[in-house]
Amino acid sequence: MKRKLVVGNWKMNGMTASLREIQKLGTAHPAPTVDILVCPPATLIATAAGLMAKSAIEIGAQDCHSAGSGAFTGDISAAMLSDIGAKAVIVGHSERREYHKESSALVSEKARSAHAAGLIAVICLGETEAERAAGQTLAIIADQLDASLPAGTTGDNTVIAYEPVWAIGSGLTPDRTQIAEVHDFLRDRLGERIGTSGAQAIRLLYGGSVKATNAAAIFAISNVDGALVGGASLLEKDFTPIIKALMD
Ligand code: 13P
């Protein structure tokens, strides 16, 4: 049975003092029945991974380069992340697709590099508000999924996060029918690509304005195996009710 998963994406937030929040999470969830992954900024990964080594909280990264090493000033490879204790890396977040002009082809390369380093790739995809208004949601999701998924994808090395761009940080969320439509579609399309049992093994996360008040309703939707949480993952007191809703 695959375990459900909740991922906290801190984005460009968090100083060394914020490590306290990750430690509090470890204390609050000594033996969780779901997987918990926190992705702080790169500056905090090594210390967080060391602090949480004996806990149930896993530490991940928010991005990696597609190459293993080389002349790429300022970049960090998946192997380097693994070396400092990261267990996973988010790739293809819409903020990187938008602000860093990352293509699905590059996202696939990054995921492949993550797999090679033994990291779980949390591959993000999602439509913009204009794309949804134009009725293109499933076509966009299909294109992004097809092009972002590297060969060798399995439930052990890959998680897919559906994050509608318009729901991120906005307080807006799709209704349950809209989330179910995309998640059911993702499961079917993954099945066509890697087979039904392979597709069943991949955790499908919903992300975008998940908070304590809407988490339980979102987790009740078909083919939702957890959440990718931004703002509400920064403080243990906000993140814990979401984790508890997933465990219920
Ligand atoms: P919010 O939960 O702040 O909307 O962010 C979602 C997100 O982008 C997580 O990756």
Side-chain angles (χ1 to χ4, degrees), residues 9 11 90 93-95 124 163 167-170 207-210 228-232:
N9 173 12
K11 309 190 180 185
I90 297 169
H93 192 283
S94 63
E95 287 149 17
C124 303
E163 295 205 310
I168 294 174
S170 65
S209 296
V210 176
L228 177 53
V229 184

Side-chain angles (χ1 to χ4, degrees), residues 10-19 41 43-44 234:
W10 281 17
K11 309 190 180 185
M12 199 171 71
N13 298 291
M15 299 294 178
T16 47
S18 320
L19 291 165
T43 48
L44 299 181
L234 293 172

